[in-house]
Amino acid sequence: MKFLAITLIVHRPDPVTGVLKSTHDRFREVVASALLAEELGFDGFGVGERHERPFISSAPTVVLSHLAALTRRIRLFTAVTTLSLLDPVRAYEDYATLDHLADGRLDLIIGKGNGSAQRELFHVTPEDQWERNAESYEVFRRIWREDKVTARTRFRPELTDAEVWPRPYQRPVRVWHGSATSKESVDLAARYGDPLFSANVTHPVEPYAELVRHYRERWEHHGHDPAGLTVGAGSAGLCVARTTQQALAAYRPVFESNLAFQRATGLPVVFETLEDFAARSSALIGSPQQVIEKVHRYHERFGHTVQHLPADAGGLTDTQHRDSLERFQSEVAPVLRQDIPDPPFDWGPVLAPPHPAPVSDAP
């Protein structure tokens, strides 16, 4: 099993202390989190893309390019690239450039994104967002694979023998499809034989497991090799301590503050107590053995081979968060790496075999 640390770069007051860091300090915190993830042995680090409050992750290519220069081993993920809002040609240019700078350490997780404010910002409607996402992805993947592209499109100017530069480093880049609530992303992933990444954050396991089951059905319908099917899954929180009691005590202020925020802003409350949240959500809160057992329970439902964890403290103190990550990597990850297989592909750059040298006709 592989493990990612992911941030959406939320920028709001700390849920426990109420302190709001400056934008500059928040970005520096993200950089520190990525360096820590590489130091601790995580397999990937992901940066989200949102274009509305309270997020400042509107330029993930810039952030990831900076991280590419500071890291050497860890793979860099988008979480997610909102292709429904983007011109696929411009998105290709940005990510192909980033992939060269990262020496082929880039993976993309794409999705339509969510949030009405960013839809309005880009003049995308609820009625056309899925069609935009599918069209953008088809154009994006063709540009990555073809030297010249002709495409009849609805949502951007048509392409005729278009050449887009730079040509890619990875051939092609691996693209995962982020899935939260709808079958559209699942269908798109299965159609193209791409891996699926379940958000698995807001609700108990059932609705996410149903989407993964649908993905498996559609994968088979499209005739793909069952051995290549790949699923990743998220987690709603992280606090690994020596004992369950210590983990719950550390996380309780975070949960209670987030619960108060949900109620004050009219957001739906799914878990009324910390104990229910720790038991039925995807949050990994407890002793190392408890966390191992929970990941196994989710693996039984999803068959996932990649797990993401929050890169941000999210209300824990910096010491609590680092201790939790260190304990996860030293006591949890080794067991799960042994028990659960890796994805069915090489984790390194996706490189096509070199073109054969031209044969000369000269004597």
Side-chain angles (χ1 to χ4, degrees), residues 116-244:
S116 58
Q118 63 181 13
R119 281 201 309 265
E120 293 171 2
L121 187 65
F122 288 89
H123 294 274
V124 173
T125 70
E127 292 74 27
D128 69 19
Q129 60 186 347
W130 286 112
E131 293 179 67
R132 286 177 179 271
N133 185 63
E135 178 182 287
S136 290
Y137 178 53
E138 181 175 351
V139 173
F140 181 91
R141 78 187 307 274
R142 287 187 59 197
I143 294 173
W144 209 286
R145 289 164 170 79
E146 302 172 23
D147 291 335
K148 293 184 178 182
V149 174
T150 296
R152 303 293 170 249
T153 51
R154 288 181 56 201
F155 301 108
R156 61 145 287 122
E158 295 183 353
L159 301 174
T160 303
D161 289 333
E163 296 180 286
V164 188
W165 300 93
R167 297 313 301 148
Y169 184 79
Q170 293 191 90
R171 294 179 177 266
V173 69
R174 184 177 301 113
V175 177
W176 304 66
H177 295 251
S179 166
T181 60
S182 175
K183 290 182 178 179
E184 278 85 349
S185 290
V186 170
D187 289 337
L188 193 64
R191 182 195 317 166
Y192 286 108
D194 294 331
L196 184 76
F197 217 109
S198 173
N200 190 38
V201 168
T202 307
H203 301 284
V205 67
E206 286 76 14
Y208 305 113
E210 173 60 24
L211 287 172
V212 172
R213 184 195 62 76
H214 180 70
Y215 170 62
R216 293 179 180 277
E217 289 179 355
R218 299 307 295 169
W219 181 278
E220 182 179 348
H221 170 81
H222 288 291
H224 301 301
D225 183 355
L229 186 146
T230 308
V231 177
S235 57
L238 177 71
C239 187
V240 189
R242 188 174 61 84
T243 67
T244 302

